[in-house]
């Protein structure tokens, strides 16, 4: 079945450090890929998406490139801020079947001054 | 627009009690979903409704029932709560326009079963 694997957290960084959160997937067909972010006490919000191979999703300084050859969708940011502290979820959607999403287990990011 | 709303925000139940979690969306979305979030497990799909009048099981449906009351509302019922159902429950919706596959989430219901 479809699955998403994310790096374990928590990831602790100093402000202005470079961030990478790894995500790899297994899917039948050609999935769309997503990164969602969950701030403390809130629901998930869509951060960025990519719908086909080599697409780059970007938002709020975060980027991720859909790599079909390595089945990966790693999240990167050049300079993190304290306000980026949250839990980040990688997810995939395979067409059909009610637009269901399959989520990774989430990676907690803590950014310190 | 309020987006996706959920009630209640918090609930404590005793084992064997029943309750219904309510979810409503005002975005005219066709599809709605119920997830549970547990530490180290990510989000797991309980039930979903691809369109008004249909419901289907997700990954972890045992112990739950759902009702798609109308296009706006999708409720989740625990008939006889168990401690294993202690979790945070999220409702989501999707469908409409060019972003039809993006899911929008509610703020969650934190449920404790003692």
């Amino acid at each position: 079945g479809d699955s998403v694997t994310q790096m374990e957290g928590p990831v602790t960084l100093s402000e202005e450090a470079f961030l990478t959160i790894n995500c790899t997937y297994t899917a039948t067909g050609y999935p769309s890929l997503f990164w969602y972010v969950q701030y403390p006490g809130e629901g998930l919000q869509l951060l960025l998406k990519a719908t086909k191979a080599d697409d780059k999703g970007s938002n709020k300084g975060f980027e991720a490139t859909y790599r079909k050859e390595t089945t990966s969708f790693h999240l990167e940011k050049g300079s993190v801020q304290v306000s980026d502290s949250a839990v980040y979820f990688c997810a995939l959607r395979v067409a059909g079947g009610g637009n269901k999403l399959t989520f990774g287990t989430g990676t907690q990011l803590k950014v310190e001054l | 627009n309020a987006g996706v709303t959920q009630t209640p925000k918090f609930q404590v139940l005793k084992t064997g009690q029943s309750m219904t979690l309510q979810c409503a969306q005002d975005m005219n979305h066709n599809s709605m979903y119920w997830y549970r979030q547990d530490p180290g497990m990510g989000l797991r799909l309980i039930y979903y409704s691809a369109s008004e009048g249909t419901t289907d099981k997700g990954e972890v449906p045992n112990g739950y029932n759902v009702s798609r009351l109308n296009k706006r509302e999708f409720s989740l019922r625990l008939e006889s709560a168990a401690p294993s159902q202690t979790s945070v429950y999220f409702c989501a919706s999707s469908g409409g326009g060019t972003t039809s596959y993006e899911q929008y989430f509610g703020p969650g219901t934190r449920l404790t079963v003692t």
Side-chain angles (χ1 to χ4, degrees), chain A residues 32 34 36 38 41-46 49 51 87 89 93 97-106, chain B residues 31 33 35 37 40-43 45 48 50 57 90 94-95 99-108:
Chain A
S32 298
F34 305 85
Y36 279 82
Q38 183 181 32
E42 298 184 9
L44 278 71
Q45 304 172 26
L46 180 66
K49 65 181 186 285
T51 58
V87 181
F89 292 91
R93 166 195 168 268
N99 287 324
K100 291 181 291 183
L101 291 176
T102 300
F103 285 90
T105 54
Chain B
S31 302
Y33 312 83
Y35 295 91
Q37 183 180 26
M41 304 288 289
L43 274 77
L45 184 65
Y48 68 102
K57 295 178 181 179
F90 289 99
S94 72
T99 60
S100 60
Y101 47 78
E102 294 179 20
Q103 291 190 17
Y104 295 80
F105 284 78

Side-chain angles (χ1 to χ4, degrees), chain A residues 1 5 19 27 34 42-43 49 53 55 59-61 66 69 76 81-82 84 86 93 99-100 108-109:
Chain A
T5 302
L19 168 71
F34 305 85
E42 298 184 9
K49 65 181 186 285
D55 269 2
N59 186 25
K60 299 181 181 179
Y66 188 149
E69 63 276 12
E76 296 181 336
Q81 307 299 311
V82 171
D84 294 326
R93 166 195 168 268
N99 287 324
K100 291 181 291 183
Q108 184 174 11
L109 171 65

Side-chain angles (χ1 to χ4, degrees), chain A residues 45-66:
Chain A
Q45 304 172 26
L46 180 66
L47 180 60
L48 53 85
K49 65 181 186 285
T51 58
K52 61 183 187 298
D54 299 325
D55 269 2
K56 177 186 282 188
S58 62
N59 186 25
K60 299 181 181 179
F62 291 89
E63 293 183 340
T65 301
Y66 188 149

Side-chain angles (χ1 to χ4, degrees), chain B residues 38-60:
Chain B
D38 302 293
M41 304 288 289
L43 274 77
R44 292 181 291 170
L45 184 65
I46 304 171
Y47 271 94
Y48 68 102
S49 171
S51 61
E52 187 179 357
T54 69
T55 60
D56 285 286
K57 295 178 181 179
E59 184 184 352
V60 288

